[in-house]
Amino acid sequence: MTLVALFTTAIELTSAQRFLLMLPLCLSLAVVYKTIRLEDVRAIPAASLILSATIVLAMCAIAVGLWAVFSIMV
Amino acid sequence: MALVPPEPATNPAAVAYAPRNALLTGPIAGFLAWLVPGLGHIYLGHRVRGVVCLVTITVTFWTGVAIGGVQATVDPHERSFWFMAQICTGGNTLAAYGLHRVVEPQLAAGQRPVAALAHWLSSEVGVHYTGVAGLLNLLVILDALGRADAPSPKRTRRDHPPGAPRP
């Protein structure tokens, strides 16, 4: 019953927690992508970490760029 | 050029490496990959790849359900487009929707705990997790279908044992 309650009861999140939860989602995305792309399975962990870091950094860069554009225009 | 001598038919390894029905391999692998993420790869002999996909996609999906609650996350009526993405993880989504249907009568009877009413941030994060898990499994299904046409790793090793000259 406790196990069922884990999936029927929502967790209350703050805005900061919401953004932090982006990190594991990026990691899982990178792991699956690299798993189906790489022929050598031993290379998957390192490649996944690099790809997830790249995704996060790229999103941060886009956010900073959009913030700069917004600051200039407004 | 020296060719690798064919293995006798009585060799158990040769029986294990016997080619599958080419017409059925793709559809079976695709269906298994839809039903359980990674199972199509395991069926095709890519065990490590399949297990990694199975663990990653299943954990991502159920993490999303745990964050948003099954009522707010897997809802084909309120979130029909997201449900189309979620249903790509067939077995997981069907199980979650079954749980949704079990919980729904409690909602109608007013027995739903207050905490089950998901905060909008939680439900959005949960929907994103489950939707992304579904779309990732779509990639895995397509990859399994593509690999079904290629020789399996077992057959490759049989065809080219270590040290043997390649044709």
Side-chain angles (χ1 to χ4, degrees), chain A residues 4 6-15 18 21-22 24-25 28-29 31-33 35-41, chain B residues 49 52-53 56-57 60 62 65-70 99 103 115-116 118 121-122 125 129 132 136 139-140 143 147:
Chain A
V4 172
L6 180 67
F7 297 110
T8 56
T9 308
I11 299 169
E12 284 204 26
L13 297 175
T14 61
S15 296
R18 183 194 186 195
L21 279 168
M22 176 188 75
L25 188 61
S28 69
L29 196 151
V31 167
V32 173
Y33 180 75
T35 301
I36 62 175
R37 291 290 294 176
L38 294 179
E39 287 305 316
D40 183 11
V41 291
Chain B
R49 222 175 284 277
V52 171
C53 290
T56 309
I57 293 175
T60 303
W62 287 103
V65 174
I67 291 170
V70 73
L99 187 60
V103 174
L121 279 177
S122 307
V125 171
Y129 264 68
V132 168
L136 286 175
L139 281 180
V140 172
D143 186 62
R147 287 176 191 275

Side-chain angles (χ1 to χ4, degrees), chain A residues 10-68:
Chain A
I11 299 169
E12 284 204 26
L13 297 175
T14 61
S15 296
Q17 289 170 333
R18 183 194 186 195
F19 282 110
L20 284 177
L21 279 168
M22 176 188 75
L23 300 177
L25 188 61
C26 287
L27 185 63
S28 69
L29 196 151
V31 167
V32 173
Y33 180 75
K34 286 298 178 185
T35 301
I36 62 175
R37 291 290 294 176
L38 294 179
E39 287 305 316
D40 183 11
V41 291
R42 287 169 298 183
I44 291 171
S48 302
L49 285 175
I50 292 170
L51 179 61
S52 57
T54 306
I55 293 169
V56 172
L57 290 176
M59 285 198 293
C60 290
I62 290 170
V64 169
L66 289 175
W67 175 78

Side-chain angles (χ1 to χ4, degrees), chain A residues 4 8, chain B residues 70-71 95-107:
Chain A
V4 172
T8 56
Chain B
V70 73
Q71 283 290 107
Y97 187 57
L99 187 60
H100 176 111
R101 296 292 297 269
V102 169
V103 174
E104 205 161 28
Q106 297 177 8
L107 170 67

Side-chain angles (χ1 to χ4, degrees), chain B residues 19-78:
Chain B
R20 302 183 187 97
N21 187 331
L23 286 176
L24 290 177
T25 302
I28 290 174
F31 175 74
L32 290 175
W34 172 77
L35 192 64
V36 179
L39 196 58
H41 284 82
I42 295 171
Y43 171 72
L44 293 172
H46 301 275
R47 290 199 187 108
V48 176
R49 222 175 284 277
V51 169
V52 171
C53 290
L54 171 66
V55 171
T56 309
I57 293 175
T58 304
V59 167
T60 303
F61 184 88
W62 287 103
T63 300
V65 174
I67 291 170
V70 73
Q71 283 290 107
T73 305
V74 182
D75 190 347
H77 305 295
E78 295 291 326

